[in-house]
Amino acid sequence: MHVAHLSLADFRSYARAEVPLDPGVTAFVGPNGHGKTNLVEAVGYLATLGSHRVSSDAPLVRMGAERAVVRAAVVQGDRQQLVELELNPGRANRARINRSPQVKPRDVLGIIRTVMFAPEDLALVKGDPGERRRFLDELITARTPRMAGVRSDYDRVLKQRNTLLKSAAMARRHGGRGMDLSTLDVWDQHLARVGAELLAQRLDLIGTLQPLADKAYEQLAPGGGPVALEYRGPATGEGAAGAESREELYGVLLASLAEVRKQEIERGVTLVGPHRDDLVLKLGRLPAKGYASHGESWSYALALRLASYDLLRSEGNEPVLVLDDVFAELDTRRRDRLAELVAPGEQVLVTAAVDGDVPALLAGARYAVSDGSVERIGPSS
């Protein structure tokens, strides 16, 4: 699979941009702040319905514009599809597939799949648990697009449950009569049911990803491992080690919610569920967070992305590989090793501030990016 053409309208710094793309390696080269990342960010948005840099759509719309449009022609084998998203901050986004408006934004998931390396990836190792949960859930959705609906359902149930808990907490603080919390039992069941589906997918993914991540780390930093991925949450706690089926996970979550109900009512927030869990990344016997060096942390983050790429590729429909300003962050050995590993990809999109940051092994098309203009300058020499 590859993107054959990318069109932007009022997206980030681009009033208009038309970028034809080929299979193989394409590098966007230009000074920082001139729009290179905006191009690959648009491709990533079509794949995930989100940005790897910001959490809302508003910053993606060019200043002064009401909406932005991202459109791509996608080729898979003999088939070509045109996918389009219209971003409307504060209102519902719109989607089209092959110019048909009778689709929802979620329907475009799976048409384009990407794996992106970016400077922000260091947060996978050094950042908060939310970064690692997002990593898992986005990869789950890339593998199984219907999981976008499950994630949305979980967020909706969580919001409703938190609203009820907050009302109960406020009533207690103001000395009012105790609320009728019979409804909370129903929301417990909803949360545990949807949460069990999400949790089952996460645990399955981690089991599949573990050996691939260990292999990738060894390729990037020979002799530096091993790495281990450990999920932390009620389903992996004491007495729950054997919980694997969705029904078993449902029971564990339901029991965990019952255990903390008093604390939840006091604090007015849901304290148990996939939204509170963490993926602990270990290097050797120690957690990478707090113990790994800067170089080891980078290698770990890259290993997770390489493992994701290998997993998606093994399941068909090879993803577009995006390397956003990554090589400038790496020493020469890691730079050359990464280039060697990704060069065979069906489509690899690279951004770099200077042409010298792109390893010679990644020869291919070059675009000069400057002040919002994108000009093809031919293949590398």
Side-chain angles (χ1 to χ4, degrees), residues 258-300:
E259 288 176 7
V260 298
R261 175 171 287 195
K262 182 178 179 181
Q263 297 98 296
E264 288 185 329
I265 293 173
E266 290 173 351
R267 296 174 59 178
V269 67
T270 301
L271 298 175
V272 170
H275 66 290
R276 305 278 295 196
D277 296 348
D278 193 8
L279 173 65
V280 177
L281 307 176
K282 286 192 171 182
L283 185 58
R285 295 183 178 181
L286 297 173
K289 183 177 180 179
Y291 290 91
S293 69
H294 183 75
E296 289 171 333
S297 297
W298 255 114
S299 293
Y300 211 133

Side-chain angles (χ1 to χ4, degrees), residues 206-283:
I206 291 169
T208 306
L209 203 62
Q210 165 68 65
L212 297 175
D214 193 44
K215 175 185 175 183
Y217 191 90
E218 176 64 22
Q219 291 173 321
L220 290 166
V227 305
L229 315 181
E230 294 185 4
Y231 194 82
R232 294 285 174 84
T236 57
E238 186 177 351
E244 296 181 355
S245 72
R246 282 158 179 76
E247 283 303 316
E248 289 173 325
L249 293 170
Y250 169 75
V252 169
L253 288 173
L254 207 56
S256 299
L257 288 168
E259 288 176 7
V260 298
R261 175 171 287 195
K262 182 178 179 181
Q263 297 98 296
E264 288 185 329
I265 293 173
E266 290 173 351
R267 296 174 59 178
V269 67
T270 301
L271 298 175
V272 170
H275 66 290
R276 305 278 295 196
D277 296 348
D278 193 8
L279 173 65
V280 177
L281 307 176
K282 286 192 171 182
L283 185 58

